[in-house]
Amino acid sequence: MAKVLDKALVINILSLLAYRGASFLFPLATLPYLARTLGVEHMGVLALALACVLYCSTISDWGFNVYTTKDIAHHREDKPRVTQIFWSTFNAKLLLMLVTSGSVLAATWFNPAWHGLFWIILANCTALLGSLFSFGWLMQGYEKLGKTAMISTFGNFCAIPLTFLLVKSPGDTWLAALIPGLVSLISSAITLKYVVEMKVVGRYRLEPREIWQRLTDSVDVFVAIAGANLFNSVNVLLLATFTSSYMTGIYNGADRLRKAANSVPEQIGSAFFPRVSFLFSRDKAAAIAATRKSLLFSFLLSLGIVIFTFFFADDVVRILLGPAFLPSADVLRVFVLCFLFGNIAYPAGLQILIPHGLRRERMFTMLGAGVINIPICSVLAWKYGAIGAAWSMVIAELLVCIGIFSIMARHGILREYLRRPEMSTVRRSEEGIESR
């Protein structure tokens, strides 16, 4: 059996954890300042604008970070094929970015009720440009995440002095939205230099048929991610619709802490994904062993975060957000329950369902949970405010987890992954004897 945990994989895991650790610490360095400078209501407005741009990002990414990473991992020794994949993905992302950002900016400019959001959304759209040139899907496909982590960490560090220098009052909300885009552009410029030095991509090529192929290949992954956003970012929009900017700000404060807390465990699955994709067709037993380790690490980290948050949420919110955000503590306690389900379901879907050709089933599971979330969140947000919106996300994550493992059980895959490794070895030996 191929070695599961070798030096390259360990470096990738540690790199991602270090990067996400930095992504956790650096925003926390500015979050107390932003919360006190902007106030609860303007934090709510900022959250609404960022949610709009996130939808543009979801569409422009189109699942390439999953499917293209898998494709490059399979063909990374074939430069002509990698070149074709690279440029067709880049061109598709560029096209989607222009269409989506243009549509959102036009909608906010011509809608009087949303006109105030136009400049904040325009400022944050720089993050879309940075994402276009980040090429994380290429670096991850080659398992070259060490440099990517260092570059992104440097970019995140730059956000700290920029925030303190530029954001001085609630009127600077648009600058708070611009800073993530600026640091993303800095990181992407450095990443582009490393991509050129890797010499794995040939000259620019424009092939409409290949672009269309990229879009059709990744559509199932895109719909799954879009479905997840129906119980992630859409809750901010629903909360803003049924409540107030103040309640949206309380939700946003807890949501930012949730994302920071989850930044480490959610990256374990991302680090294992290209290795599992590479091993699956070569040594399935090694791929299964890698997936087991990935899910175990994710769950243990998630459980630790949930326990810590239950006891110390009030102190964390008071220190990081300030006394005005104290209602966010109970919202945060509910939010982190998502980790127990999402940090198992998401890597299981990536590392098990997709390699087994069940990406469409995964797509329908996540989309279904997202659709169900909309009426649930609408009712809970209207009746209970921010904490109701948080509970609707927990319900949605639970439905996804149940759905993913139901698919595995229905197709006879679950037993294979639950079976003890030594039993799997014995069974394969017996099958080999019988075949002879």
Side-chain angles (χ1 to χ4, degrees), residues 80-264:
R81 180 57 181 152
V82 169
T83 298
Q84 192 174 48
I85 295 170
F86 178 88
W87 286 119
S88 59
T89 301
F90 176 83
N91 291 326
K93 283 174 67 72
L94 175 61
L95 176 64
L96 293 170
M97 183 196 75
L98 293 175
V99 171
T100 54
S101 58
S103 299
V104 170
L105 289 172
T108 52
W109 179 260
F110 291 107
N111 184 350
W114 286 56
H115 188 68
L117 286 172
F118 174 83
W119 297 108
I120 303 175
I121 292 175
L122 179 62
N124 194 240
C125 277
T126 53
L128 298 176
L129 191 60
S131 176
L132 177 67
F133 289 96
S134 66
F135 304 125
W137 39 271
L138 176 73
M139 304 292 277
Q140 190 173 350
Y142 277 93
E143 298 189 63
K144 301 289 185 181
L145 294 175
K147 291 180 178 178
T148 305
M150 289 188 293
I151 294 167
S152 299
T153 300
F154 173 74
N156 284 323
F157 175 78
C158 292
I160 297 176
L162 287 174
T163 299
F164 290 119
L165 287 172
L166 299 178
V167 182
K168 299 295 184 181
S169 69
D172 296 328
T173 303
W174 71 275
L175 287 171
L178 177 65
I179 290 170
L182 289 178
V183 300
S184 177
L185 289 172
I186 293 171
S187 298
S188 63
I190 302 173
T191 302
L192 181 59
K193 174 180 178 293
Y194 280 113
V195 169
V196 173
E197 291 177 350
M198 286 172 65
K199 296 181 179 179
V200 296
V201 179
R203 292 183 178 182
Y204 176 80
R205 54 200 296 177
L206 178 62
E207 298 174 302
R209 182 175 296 179
E210 276 297 315
I211 294 174
W212 179 251
Q213 189 64 48
R214 286 287 104 197
L215 292 171
T216 54
D217 284 346
S218 300
V219 68
D220 293 337
V221 177
F222 162 71
V223 173
I225 295 173
N229 277 338
L230 288 177
F231 55 84
N232 195 329
S233 299
V234 77
N235 286 15
V236 175
L237 301 177
L238 293 173
L239 194 61
T241 301
F242 291 104
T243 60
S244 62
S245 296
Y246 173 82
M247 191 60 67
T248 306
I250 293 297
Y251 181 90
N252 181 42
D255 192 40
R256 286 191 168 218
L257 293 176
R258 172 187 71 88
K259 290 176 180 177
N262 199 35
S263 58
V264 173

Side-chain angles (χ1 to χ4, degrees), residues 70 273 276-277 280 348-358 417:
K70 173 178 172 290
F273 177 59
V276 172
S277 298
F280 193 81
L350 283 180
Q351 298 174 31
I352 300 175
L353 297 190
I354 290 180
H356 280 87
L358 297 171
Y417 281 80

